Amino acid sequence: AVRTESDLLARAVEQPQDQSAAAQHHLGVAGSHYDIADVLAVGARAQTLARLFNLHEGFTADDDRLPRRMMRAFKSGPLQGVEIFEESFNWARRRYYVLLGWDGESGVPTGSCLASLQLPELGLQL
């Protein structure tokens, strides 16, 4: 059940749909105006909070891996013969971290990322 506006936005961001539609849904349900930037900011904040929790619990960038079976080439289907190489995965992981405003190697949210998401005090707890 959706309990708050934040829950609604977080659910909208999780769904693979047009972000402008998510903003419109929020307006219709909650009566508050949110634009695409607001919806994306909620998603970034949720991802960063989840990352901070995982870091607190002892997870590191080394835990951000795909199972070996997912990296092997499929034997049939549209991805037949496509393999994910370790170097390619590591590059994509670093890129993902940087796009979220986290350190590219460690996956730790940077101080500027936390400040932009209005979470600067959480950086002190790392």
Side-chain angles (χ1 to χ4, degrees):
V2 176
R3 286 176 244 142
T4 66
E5 290 180 25
S6 297
D7 289 343
L8 177 67
L9 284 174
R11 287 176 191 265
V13 169
E14 291 170 0
Q15 302 302 317
Q17 64 180 349
D18 178 17
Q19 302 302 344
S20 62
Q24 287 296 339
H25 292 166
H26 185 270
L27 177 61
V29 171
S32 300
H33 176 72
Y34 278 79
D35 59 21
I36 295 170
D38 295 324
V39 173
L40 294 175
V42 168
R45 189 178 173 108
Q47 289 288 14
T48 299
L49 285 169
R51 184 66 177 180
L52 290 170
F53 176 83
N54 286 339
L55 290 169
H56 180 267
E57 295 301 307
F59 289 90
T60 68
D62 290 336
D63 297 302
D64 292 335
R65 314 190 67 64
L66 291 175
R68 271 273 167 234
R69 70 181 183 278
M70 297 296 298
M71 297 180 80
R72 287 192 295 257
F74 288 92
K75 294 180 181 169
S76 63
L79 295 177
Q80 180 178 354
V82 175
E83 180 176 356
I84 301 173
F85 296 100
E86 191 78 26
E87 303 82 36
S88 298
F89 177 80
N90 290 336
W91 177 88
R93 181 179 57 190
R94 284 190 303 273
R95 182 75 178 128
Y96 174 75
Y97 289 165
V98 170
L99 287 171
L100 285 171
W102 305 347
D103 177 76
E105 295 300 319
S106 68
V108 174
T110 63
S112 60
C113 168
L114 296 174
S116 72
L117 297 173
Q118 300 173 354
L119 301 169
E121 69 281 357
L122 297 180
L124 301 175
Q125 299 174 16
L126 293 176

